């Protein structure tokens, strides 16, 4: 699942790169040995990635946009307005009306030799027979009569009728009355046919002349609870789609229409309130925690949790389970997005993603790749420009190799959002973007779940202890109180002690915590308190006997007390 945040629209190329990494992982070389072999190149890779151009988030204020960007935004709004009026988002396009097909026998021109006996009003002359039916009974006299009537040049319609409705008696004499009656009947029949064979153009004109009784108002379309048009936050949403398509208006408009369609098909509105039953299992896999220094919410993705065979099987062992996991991931994202501020005046509408690759299953897990590929395709197609920064921590050597292979396929804009850090550099890298009081304890910070003494609003101080040196931290106290403090050395492997030193020179120093060596396997944060009855100071001493500098995090507060 780690490759989710790196994949681009060139899916086949990325998957091809993943196959190469899978082959690389299959070699019988341990990660530790390979890391040692690649130590130099790995450091160079991290430096190379770190030196890439940093992404600077653009302003969402219309007044800050360049003129071509303002023009593109206006054009997109016009296209959307027209689409809303025509109900193009939620209603399928109406099929064009087509003229009814005319039967072959109706469309065929009437010719003398082709007129069928069915036009004869046989009911009015039940005993009569047409020439065609009584061909053997024709006499010389009836043929001559036929020729004379042709010379009379009757109208085309009448001639056709007369030719086909001439009848003879048993003695060969023509019955005039029968002809007259037949002519009248056929004319009526012809008029009836003419009424049914109305040209398609005349029907369209008649239909077009009828005005609808009522006009439907423009439809309303919402994305993430915000209308596409008419709200002060609408421009922020439209700018996301425009930036995702390099301000190409028609492509951005198509992307919006596809997103609206997908949201309806996926059932986003009903999904928001649905209990999928996976929150307890995935609460340590994907979770929101704190904010970065610029106010962006921070989302942590802990891929190492999928090393659990039980959890892995529960999430990915079948297509049905993978679809359910996908629904949960989209639901989580939707809820997170709706907490963002889409206000045009400096609102925060993006998220910082922290991707922990420690013990990540890697690209060899086919089921995991299948699920994350589906998720990524949906995210890149329907959630544009929602990531301000992608920070990868505890990055193994093989992931850097993977990144190098797919890097040529990534845009500069995408690459500028990426930050990579190996295990030893992860806390330091996080602190560049997130204050220590906002970083969870497991990632080097002081943010503890259920902390009763401190919160994320209690600021943390930082100092550096150089190699083979000793550093002290003083917490002055001017009144009777209870002093509470906590301290953390990133990576520890130092000696630590705490004592109270009174201001009165005649007073006695009180040892609060005697000197002891703290290793990285000990409790990550040391918490302590001391009841002070006179002015003085708490002195914390950290002695670094290692060859590496150490970062120290600490904070304190006082609480009143009464005897």
């Amino acid at each position: 699942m780690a490759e989710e945040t790196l994949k681009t629209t060139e899916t086949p190329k990325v998957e091809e790169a993943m196959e190469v990494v899978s082959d690389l992982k299959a070699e019988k070389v341990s990660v530790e040995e390979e890391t040692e072999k690649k130590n130099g190149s790995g450091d160079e890779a991290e430096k190379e990635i770190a030196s890439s151009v940093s992404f600077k988030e653009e302003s969402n204020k219309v007044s800050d946009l360049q003129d071509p960007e303002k023009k593109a935004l206006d054009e997109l709004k016009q296209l959307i307005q027209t689409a809303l009026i025509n109900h193009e988002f939620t209603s399928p396009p109406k099929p064009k009306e087509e003229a009814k097909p005319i039967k072959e026998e109706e469309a065929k021109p009437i010719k003398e030799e082709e007129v069928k006996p069915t036009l004869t009003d046989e009911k009015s002359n039940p005993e009569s027979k047409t020439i065609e039916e009584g061909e053997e009974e024709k006499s010389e006299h009836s043929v001559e009569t036929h020729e004379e009537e042709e010379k009379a040049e009757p109208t085309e319609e009448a001639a056709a009728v007369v030719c086909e409705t001439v009848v003879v008696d048993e003695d060969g004499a023509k019955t005039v009355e029968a002809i007259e009656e037949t002519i009248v009947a056929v004319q009526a029949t012809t008029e009836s046919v003419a009424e049914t064979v109305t040209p398609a153009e005349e029907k369209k004109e008649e239909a077009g002349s009828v005005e609808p009784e009522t006009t439907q108002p423009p439809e309303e379309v919402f994305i993430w609870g915000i209308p596409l048009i008419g709200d002060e936050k609408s421009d922020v949403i439209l700018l996301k789609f425009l930036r995702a398509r390099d301000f190409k208006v028609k492509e951005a408009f198509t992307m919006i229409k596809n997103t609206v369609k997908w949201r309806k098909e996926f059932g986003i509105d009903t999904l928001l309130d649905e209990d999928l039953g996976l929150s307890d299992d995935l609460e340590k896999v994907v979770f929101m925690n704190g904010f970065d220094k610029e106010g962006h919410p921070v989302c942590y993705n802990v891929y190492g949790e999928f090393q659990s065979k039980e959890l892995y099987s529960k999430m990915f062992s079948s297509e049905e389970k993978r679809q359910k996991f996908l629904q949960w991931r989209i639901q989580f994202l939707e809820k997170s997005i709706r907490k963002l501020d889409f206000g045009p005046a400096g609102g925060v509408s993006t998220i910082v993603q922290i991707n922990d690759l420690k013990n990540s299953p890697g690209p060899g897990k086919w089921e995991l790749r299948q699920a994350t590929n589906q998720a990524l395709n949906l995210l890149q197609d329907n959630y544009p420009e929602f990531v301000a920064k992608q920070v990868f921590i505890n990055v193994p050597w093989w992931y850097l190799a993977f990144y190098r292979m797919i890097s040529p396929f990534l845009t500069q804009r995408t690459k500028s959002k990426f930050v990579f850090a190996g295990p030893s550099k992860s806390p330091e890298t996080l602190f560049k973007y997130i204050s220590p009081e906002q970083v969870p304890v497991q990632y080097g910070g002081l943010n503890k779940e259920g902390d009763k003494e401190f919160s994320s609003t209690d600021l943390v101080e930082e100092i550096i202890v150089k190699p083979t040196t000793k550093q002290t931290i003083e917490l002055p106290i001017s009144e009777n109180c209870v002093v509470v403090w906590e301290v953390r050395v990133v990576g520890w492997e130092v000696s630590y002690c705490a004592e109270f030193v009174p201001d009165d020179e005649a007073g006695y120093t009180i040892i609060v915590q005697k000197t002891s060596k703290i290793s990285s396997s000990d409790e990550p944060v040391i918490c302590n308190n001391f009841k002070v009855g006179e002015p003085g100071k708490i002195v914390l001493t950290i002695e670094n006997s290692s060859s590496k500098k150490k970062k120290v995090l600490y904070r304190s507060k006082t609480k009143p007390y009464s005897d």
Side-chain angles (χ1 to χ4, degrees):
M1 189 172 181
E3 69 272 18
E4 174 180 332
T5 49
L6 286 179
K7 189 174 175 186
T8 64
T9 52
E10 292 87 359
T11 303
K13 296 179 182 179
V14 176
E15 290 185 345
E16 182 179 340
M18 291 303 301
E19 294 296 336
V20 175
V21 177
S22 297
D23 295 340
L24 190 61
K25 286 271 291 180
E27 296 179 3
K28 295 183 179 180
V29 181
S30 67
V31 174
E32 291 79 6
E33 292 175 348
E34 191 67 21
T35 304
E36 290 178 4
K37 291 179 182 180
K38 295 182 174 285
N39 231 353
S41 61
D43 292 340
E44 291 175 5
E46 288 193 45
K47 289 179 182 178
E48 179 183 341
I49 294 168
S51 65
S52 63
V53 179
S54 178
F55 172 74
K56 181 175 176 56
E57 194 168 7
E58 300 93 341
S59 171
N60 286 321
K61 294 181 181 179
V62 176
S63 58
D64 293 340
L65 299 177
Q66 298 179 5
D67 289 340
E69 295 173 343
K70 291 179 182 178
K71 183 179 179 182
L73 179 60
D74 290 338
E75 290 178 1
L76 180 59
K77 291 165 74 171
Q78 291 175 4
L79 287 176
I80 292 176
Q81 186 65 53
T82 301
L84 292 173
I85 292 174
N86 296 332
H87 290 248
E88 295 179 18
F89 285 100
T90 57
S91 302
K94 295 181 180 180
K96 294 182 179 180
E97 292 185 4
E98 297 181 359
K100 294 181 179 180
I102 301 175
K103 295 181 180 180
E104 185 178 350
E105 58 269 18
E106 293 178 350
K108 193 173 182 180
I110 300 175
K111 296 182 181 179
E112 293 183 8
E113 61 273 15
E114 293 178 356
V115 177
K116 302 297 180 182
T118 52
L119 293 177
T120 306
D121 190 358
E122 294 180 352
K123 292 182 180 179
S124 59
N125 297 282
E127 296 179 359
S128 65
K129 296 181 181 179
T130 64
I131 295 178
E132 185 176 343
E133 292 174 340
E135 209 170 296
E136 296 179 358
E137 301 178 5
K138 279 183 182 180
S139 65
E140 212 176 61
H141 176 71
S142 63
V143 174
E144 291 176 358
T145 304
H146 189 144
E147 292 176 353
E148 290 175 1
E149 291 184 354
E150 282 184 339
K151 292 179 182 179
E153 297 183 357
T155 63
E156 184 179 346
E157 295 174 355
V161 173
V162 170
C163 289
E164 293 300 318
T165 55
V166 174
V167 294
V168 294
D169 292 332
E170 293 180 359
D171 58 356
K174 183 175 70 172
T175 308
V176 178
E177 292 79 10
I179 294 174
E180 293 175 349
E181 291 176 2
T182 305
I183 290 174
V184 174
V186 171
Q187 286 177 342
T189 305
T190 306
E191 292 173 0
S192 174
V193 172
E195 290 177 1
T196 60
V197 189
T198 304
E201 291 78 5
E202 293 181 7
K203 287 188 177 181
K204 289 183 178 179
E205 291 177 3
E206 292 175 2
S209 63
V210 179
E211 297 182 359
E213 296 181 359
T214 58
T215 303
Q216 289 185 336
E219 61 183 337
E220 293 184 349
V221 176
F222 292 80
I223 298 183
W224 306 298
I226 300 171
L228 289 179
I229 293 291
D231 191 280
E232 64 173 3
K233 300 178 181 180
S234 300
D235 287 351
V236 180
I237 298 297
L238 300 185
L239 283 171
K240 288 183 179 295
F241 287 92
L242 282 170
R243 287 182 174 126
R245 292 295 179 264
D246 295 325
F247 282 88
K248 296 176 182 177
V249 178
K250 291 185 178 180
E251 292 184 15
F253 177 64
T254 300
M255 186 180 185
I256 291 174
K257 291 185 72 174
N258 291 338
T259 295
V260 172
K261 179 182 178 182
W262 171 79
R263 292 175 67 84
K264 185 176 181 181
E265 293 174 349
F266 202 81
I268 295 295
D269 292 337
T270 57
L271 181 63
L272 281 171
D273 300 323
E274 189 174 349
D275 183 8
L276 298 173
L278 299 180
S279 297
D280 292 340
D281 297 309
L282 297 173
E283 63 180 356
K284 293 183 179 180
V285 177
V286 183
F287 59 90
M288 305 295 293
N289 188 290
F291 301 86
D292 75 344
K293 294 178 179 180
E294 297 179 354
H296 299 99
V298 181
C299 178
Y300 291 83
N301 303 275
V302 188
Y303 302 116
E305 293 291 329
F306 289 124
Q307 287 285 9
S308 167
K309 293 182 179 180
E310 181 181 353
L311 180 61
Y312 188 91
S313 176
K314 189 172 183 179
M315 295 297 114
F316 309 114
S317 59
S318 69
E319 179 63 25
E320 182 181 354
K321 291 179 180 179
R322 289 192 291 271
Q323 287 300 316
K324 195 171 184 180
F325 171 79
L326 179 63
Q327 286 183 306
W328 182 88
R329 191 65 183 86
I330 295 297
Q331 182 192 65
F332 182 89
L333 180 60
E334 282 284 331
K335 290 181 178 180
S336 301
I337 287 176
R338 289 170 187 262
K339 296 177 182 179
L340 297 175
D341 180 8
F342 290 96
V348 175
S349 61
T350 52
I351 297 172
V352 169
Q353 292 271 2
I354 307 298
N355 306 284
D356 181 10
L357 304 183
K358 184 178 181 180
N359 298 323
S360 172
K365 298 287 188 179
W366 178 87
E367 299 85 359
L368 185 57
R369 285 179 56 193
Q370 183 82 357
T372 52
N373 284 343
Q374 286 181 308
L376 181 62
N377 288 332
L378 292 181
L379 295 179
Q380 69 182 11
D381 291 342
N382 302 289
Y383 296 89
E385 297 298 314
F386 273 102
V387 176
K389 188 73 68 179
Q390 289 276 13
V391 182
F392 297 83
I393 60 175
N394 297 315
V395 179
W397 66 268
W398 62 263
Y399 200 78
L400 291 178
F402 161 68
Y403 176 80
R404 279 181 151 180
M405 282 185 288
I406 70 167
S407 181
F409 308 128
L410 303 177
T411 64
Q412 185 59 39
R413 179 183 178 86
T414 300
K415 289 189 287 187
S416 67
K417 296 182 180 182
F418 291 163
V419 177
F420 294 83
S424 62
K425 300 287 186 180
S426 292
E428 181 182 342
T429 301
L430 288 178
F431 296 152
K432 289 181 180 179
Y433 307 100
I434 309 170
S435 299
E437 62 269 15
Q438 299 281 349
V439 177
V441 169
Q442 61 266 38
Y443 297 118
L446 294 179
N447 189 328
K448 301 187 298 294
E449 187 177 355
D451 193 339
K452 297 180 179 179
E453 295 292 351
F454 296 94
S455 69
S456 59
T457 59
D458 296 314
L459 301 182
V460 173
E461 301 288 338
E462 302 179 33
I463 63 171
I464 298 296
V465 183
K466 295 180 180 180
T468 66
T469 62
K470 183 185 293 186
Q471 185 79 34
T472 60
I473 301 170
E474 296 184 356
L475 309 175
I477 309 299
S478 60
E479 58 184 355
N480 295 349
C481 63
V482 174
V483 184
V484 182
W485 71 89
E486 62 181 7
V487 61
R488 176 174 193 167
V489 180
V490 179
W492 283 110
E493 302 301 336
V494 298
S495 296
Y496 166 81
C497 70
E499 55 189 9
F500 172 73
V501 179
D503 290 344
D504 187 355
E505 294 181 358
Y508 294 95
T509 298
I510 301 174
I511 297 176
V512 179
Q513 185 171 343
K514 65 181 182 179
T515 302
S516 59
K517 182 72 176 286
I518 311 297
S519 68
S520 57
S521 60
D522 292 329
E523 189 70 24
V525 181
I526 293 178
C527 301
N528 216 328
N529 64 80
F530 183 73
K531 186 176 181 180
V532 178
E534 59 180 314
K537 58 187 176 183
I538 298 292
V539 179
L540 310 177
T541 304
I542 295 106
E543 182 177 359
N544 179 18
S545 58
S546 71
S547 60
K548 296 181 179 180
K549 65 180 181 179
K550 299 289 185 178
K551 181 185 286 290
V552 181
L553 311 173
Y554 69 95
R555 57 182 170 180
S556 64
K557 67 191 321 183
T558 59
K559 299 189 297 184
Y561 82 95
S562 57
D563 291 333

